[in-house]
Amino acid sequence: MTGAGLLRGGEHESASRRRASRTTRVRGFTLIEVLVALAIVAVTLGAGIKAAGSLTSNTARLTDVTSAQWCADNRLTALKLAHQYPDIGDGDFTCEQLGRSYAGKLVVRPTPNPNFRRVDARILDAEGRQILLLSTILGRS
């Protein structure tokens, strides 16, 4: 009985170990589950980085447009304050705003009424692309 009892006890211990190892496997994550979770995290982080980059470029664009607006508005206001009827034609000017220099073109065109002129102030970036166009009508003083 002693030998049989030992044998059964040993079998009983190995069976309980097998059950314990099975429950451990059931509670843990498989390699596939971990890889899927990592893929989800990678996609989410990639989208977050792209969104942050878009915000940064939008902020830079907003700064350029705001500065260009100030340049064009200042130039058109100077024409209004000069109380001179502008000649038809094109002219170039530069403007300094927020530590950056902007190139501008002033375009004066006739209107159907000879007492008024249309004046466009175009602000360009360093590559010559138009950032902003601001227009006004000036009349004879």
Side-chain angles (χ1 to χ4, degrees), residues 35-114:
L35 290 175
V36 167
L38 285 174
I40 291 170
V41 169
V43 167
T44 305
L45 287 175
I49 289 171
K50 185 175 181 180
S54 293
L55 287 174
T56 302
S57 66
N58 285 344
T59 302
R61 173 80 177 140
L62 181 61
T63 301
D64 280 346
V65 169
T66 302
S67 297
Q69 175 77 33
W70 292 337
C71 285
D73 200 26
N74 288 344
R75 185 64 178 181
L76 293 177
T77 301
L79 281 175
K80 289 177 188 177
L81 292 175
H83 297 291
Q84 293 179 351
Y85 195 58
D87 293 329
I88 294 172
D90 298 351
D92 294 331
F93 67 95
T94 58
C95 177
E96 183 85 20
Q97 290 291 337
L98 299 176
R100 289 190 58 197
S101 183
Y102 293 91
K105 289 187 181 255
L106 201 61
V107 180
V108 181
R109 296 290 180 253
T111 63
N113 184 335

Side-chain angles (χ1 to χ4, degrees), residues 76 79-80 85-86 115-119 136-140:
L76 293 177
L79 281 175
K80 289 177 188 177
Y85 195 58
N115 292 318
F116 295 97
R117 299 269 165 87
R118 176 185 169 150
V119 182
T136 192
I137 302 292
L138 294 177
R140 288 190 196 267

